[in-house]
Amino acid sequence: MIRNVSATSDGGPAGGRRTRRWLVLAAGTVALTAGSTFQYGLAYLIPALRAGGLSLAQAGVIVACPTAGLLLTLVAWGAAADRWGERRILAGVAGLVLVAAARARSMATLGACLVVAGAAGASVYAASGRLILGWFAARERGLAMGIRQSAQPLGVAVAALALPSLAARGLGAAFAFLGGFCLLAAALVVAVVRDPARGGERAQAQRGSPYRSGVLWRIHAASALLVVPQFTVSTFALVFLVEARGWRAPAAGALLAVAAAGGAASRLGAGHWSDRLGSRMRPMRILALATTAALLALALAAAAAPVLAVPVLLAAAVLVVSTNGLAFTAVAELAGPSWAGRALGIQNTGQNAVAALTPPLVAVLIGAAGYPAAFAVAGVLPLAAAALVPLAADRRAPPRAGAAPAAQAR
């Protein structure tokens, strides 16, 4: 579904506005990368947490704490972005909480800090996607959202490279790094980001909620199902390589950082593909089916052909993250500017609710039945997601519709 939001007479932002939109996108992407490094990269601290005496299931709970905090505030942050604009919302305080977490003296205190940091850091997820709706035309919005969504695997890549080595000096060093990264990103947002002008928001708001039809709910549900393979791989790939394949944690982290960079590239490629195709939903369905094939191949390799498990794992790590930007773009476009913050908050809430449950539940499954069974279960769910993807949403507006928005800073 590609919808025109507002247009300029020349069909594109001129001069400084053209440069500004890419600066805004870059700053928002850095902020989301910093948030994703602690939200989704804590799996790379699992070996250190286990060395500190935690079981795999207990470490999984610590890893899920930021996501649990995220769930508490995503929709509220989205509503705040709809009301007051993105710039105020993006510059959050999660970095300060993470710096405090570096001084935690118990796992309970650490978990509480991570929940609070997740709740504070939710602001960047609600606001950074809404910026793209206002600054970019429909014909390039898929690529722009793909760049924005590449922040999640890039954040995981940063975590994979940095956290295992930092954790060797103590968990405090790892959390000090995470907090400092978030504080630097917040400073960049304050310096660079400007809210776009959206003259048509009031008229769009008067048309009422976009949730009167079931299209958005189907996208939310499909996206939530696709989170399970994503977080199964991102959370347990390092542990699989260390425990099942005998790798050292820093070497495994470096390899998985390469895979995460490939995942970021897959989001860019999927977004550009959707712009060229004039469809968000068809690529999403195709990639969901490809994810099933990759996870089932990984389950077979882990069980019967260990020599193939590592290359298949890398391919799966790239594929499992590829659909995310497509779903976010479609949700923002279908919701329109006056609802985009809330709709993206709901989208993130559904995904992160599943993400919070995935590490501890998959840890239990691995403990009971092993890695092949966990990979196989995660591989079945994208089939259901593919069935839920609403292809009819793409037919609600003509392909390539939408001139560039009036992206004047306000």
Side-chain angles (χ1 to χ4, degrees):
M1 184 281 174
I2 302 179
R3 174 180 295 175
N4 181 23
V5 177
S6 59
T8 58
S9 59
D10 61 3
R17 284 181 288 174
R18 185 182 299 275
T19 302
R20 169 64 68 178
R21 62 183 178 154
W22 293 108
L23 290 174
V24 167
L25 176 59
T29 301
V30 170
L32 190 58
T33 300
S36 296
T37 303
F38 86 85
Q39 288 281 1
Y40 305 122
L42 294 188
Y44 294 96
L45 295 178
I46 287 179
L49 291 169
R50 297 200 70 188
L54 299 187
S55 68
L56 182 59
Q58 289 170 328
V61 171
I62 292 292
V63 168
C65 280
T67 307
L70 197 74
L71 293 174
L72 301 176
T73 57
L74 272 168
V75 177
W77 281 123
D82 287 336
R83 183 174 179 83
W84 292 301
E86 295 87 346
R87 185 169 181 258
R88 299 179 188 177
I89 304 305
L90 273 171
V93 297
L96 296 175
V97 183
L98 288 169
V99 171
R103 295 177 167 272
R105 294 289 181 257
S106 70
M107 287 300 165
T109 303
L110 176 60
C113 286
L114 292 176
V115 170
V116 174
S123 61
V124 73
Y125 294 86
S128 59
R130 193 178 187 276
L131 276 174
I132 290 170
L133 190 64
W135 279 99
F136 286 87
R139 62 178 177 271
E140 56 193 3
R141 202 174 288 142
L143 175 61
M145 190 69 81
I147 293 171
R148 181 257 192 189
Q149 291 301 109
S150 71
Q152 192 269 340
L154 286 176
V156 172
V158 171
L161 287 172
L163 295 187
S165 298
L166 288 169
R169 307 177 195 173
L171 288 173
F175 286 107
F177 164 77
L178 293 171
F181 190 10
C182 288
L183 290 173
L184 285 173
L188 180 63
V189 165
V190 171
V192 172
V193 170
R194 299 294 182 270
D195 292 340
R198 295 187 180 94
E201 287 194 20
R202 182 174 298 177
Q204 196 274 341
Q206 290 174 349
R207 290 196 290 269
S209 170
Y211 285 95
R212 288 178 296 180
S213 75
V215 172
L216 282 174
W217 292 117
R218 289 180 62 180
I219 297 174
H220 294 330
S223 299
L225 289 172
L226 289 168
V227 162
V228 176
Q230 178 181 338
F231 276 78
T232 297
V233 172
S234 66
T235 302
F236 296 101
L238 181 77
V239 188
F240 173 73
L241 290 174
V242 171
E243 295 188 351
R245 304 299 303 146
W247 287 51
R248 292 177 61 249
L255 180 68
L256 292 173
V258 174
S266 76
R267 290 189 172 183
L268 269 66
H272 183 60
W273 179 22
S274 76
D275 287 337
R276 301 273 296 179
L277 194 62
S279 168
R280 313 298 182 203
M281 296 293 96
R282 277 182 285 166
M284 186 174 172
R285 176 173 286 184
I286 292 168
L287 290 170
L289 294 173
T291 297
T292 286
L295 266 293
L296 294 181
L298 178 58
L300 287 173
V307 70
L308 297 177
V310 174
V312 176
L313 175 65
L314 295 179
V318 171
L319 267 174
V320 294
V321 301
S322 60
T323 61
N324 199 272
L326 299 173
F328 271 79
T329 308
V331 166
E333 290 174 334
L334 283 161
S338 67
W339 270 82
R342 282 164 286 183
L344 290 172
I346 294 169
Q347 168 80 0
N348 265 308
T349 298
Q351 287 187 302
N352 284 285
V354 177
L357 292 172
T358 296
L361 292 179
V362 172
V364 171
L365 179 58
I366 291 170
Y371 286 99
F375 293 143
V377 170
V380 171
L381 295 179
L383 284 176
L388 282 169
V389 170
L391 295 181
D394 287 327
R395 295 193 288 271
R396 295 193 172 193
R400 315 297 181 97
Q408 298 173 349
R410 61 178 182 181

